[in-house]
Amino acid sequence: MTSTGTRGSATWVSAFGTVPARARGPRAAPRRVVQGYANEVGESFRAIVPASLVWASYGVATAYVTADAVDKGKRAAAAHTHDSGKTARVGVAVADTFVWQGLASVAIPGFTINRICAASLHLLGSLTRWPLPVRKWTTTALGLATIPFIIKPIDRAVDFLMDSSIRKLYSTEGEPPSSS
């Protein structure tokens, strides 16, 4: 049994059930968006807030990733109630979602924003005579402004990475599930 889902503007068919992106378009609840992007926001504010708050933002993002993976597992279980390979399909849906979300929603964006903010703070210190608080708030603004521009390239790169590696291990009929 296969099902259809949407990946951005593309439609895909998966034997594992639908695996939507971290935010589900216009129907996405604000809390899902906040949770999905918590660590990027935390990294943007790293120059201003205590490190414990930045790490807490990673906790929120990781909780979101875990909840999303569990949700995809439940959906796969419901879609394959009479399937002899139900356990494997549920396991693949959970693992695929957790790995994809872990890379595309937490690890890579967090690293990217961290490096952009660190570089901008260093450059502002070297190239301007702005007071430190102004440099820190400018760095935070640059980090926040960068988030919308890094999402799609990172999502596409993680899709490519997973399609070229781990998804080859559990590919069956149709395309493997994707989280974007």
Side-chain angles (χ1 to χ4, degrees), residues 46-101:
R46 183 179 284 274
I48 296 170
V49 302
S52 60
L53 288 180
V54 177
W55 287 110
S57 74
Y58 276 90
V60 170
T62 301
Y64 164 77
V65 167
T66 303
D68 194 40
V70 169
D71 178 61
K72 299 314 175 287
K74 287 179 182 178
R75 289 174 187 244
H80 301 287
T81 54
H82 303 293
D83 191 346
S84 62
K86 176 182 174 180
T87 303
R89 291 179 188 276
V90 169
V92 165
V94 170
D96 187 83
T97 302
F98 191 81
V99 171
W100 191 93
Q101 290 282 16

Side-chain angles (χ1 to χ4, degrees), residues 25 27 40-41 48 52 54 58-59 67 73-74 76 86 96-97 99 123 131 148 152 161 166 169-170 175:
R27 298 180 354 191
E40 288 101 319
V41 172
I48 296 170
S52 60
V54 177
Y58 276 90
K74 287 179 182 178
K86 176 182 174 180
D96 187 83
T97 302
V99 171
L123 286 173
K152 284 190 180 187
L161 174 70
I166 191 169
L169 299 174
Y170 51 77
E175 291 294 316

Side-chain angles (χ1 to χ4, degrees), residues 44-45 47-48 121 124 131-144:
S44 295
F45 279 91
I48 296 170
L121 187 59
L124 287 171
L132 183 59
V134 172
R135 293 193 313 258
K136 287 182 175 184
W137 279 103
T138 303
T139 294
T140 298
L142 286 169
L144 292 171

Side-chain angles (χ1 to χ4, degrees), residues 101-164:
Q101 290 282 16
L103 291 170
S105 296
V106 180
I108 298 172
F111 177 79
T112 302
I113 296 296
N114 176 285
R115 295 295 81 206
I116 288 169
C117 289
S120 67
L121 187 59
H122 175 74
L123 286 173
L124 287 171
S126 299
L127 301 175
T128 71
R129 292 184 181 262
W130 295 351
L132 183 59
V134 172
R135 293 193 313 258
K136 287 182 175 184
W137 279 103
T138 303
T139 294
T140 298
L142 286 169
L144 292 171
T146 302
I147 295 170
F149 297 103
I150 67 170
I151 295 167
K152 284 190 180 187
I154 289 173
D155 289 356
R156 287 186 191 131
V158 172
D159 275 334
F160 177 77
L161 174 70
M162 289 185 66
D163 288 345
S164 301

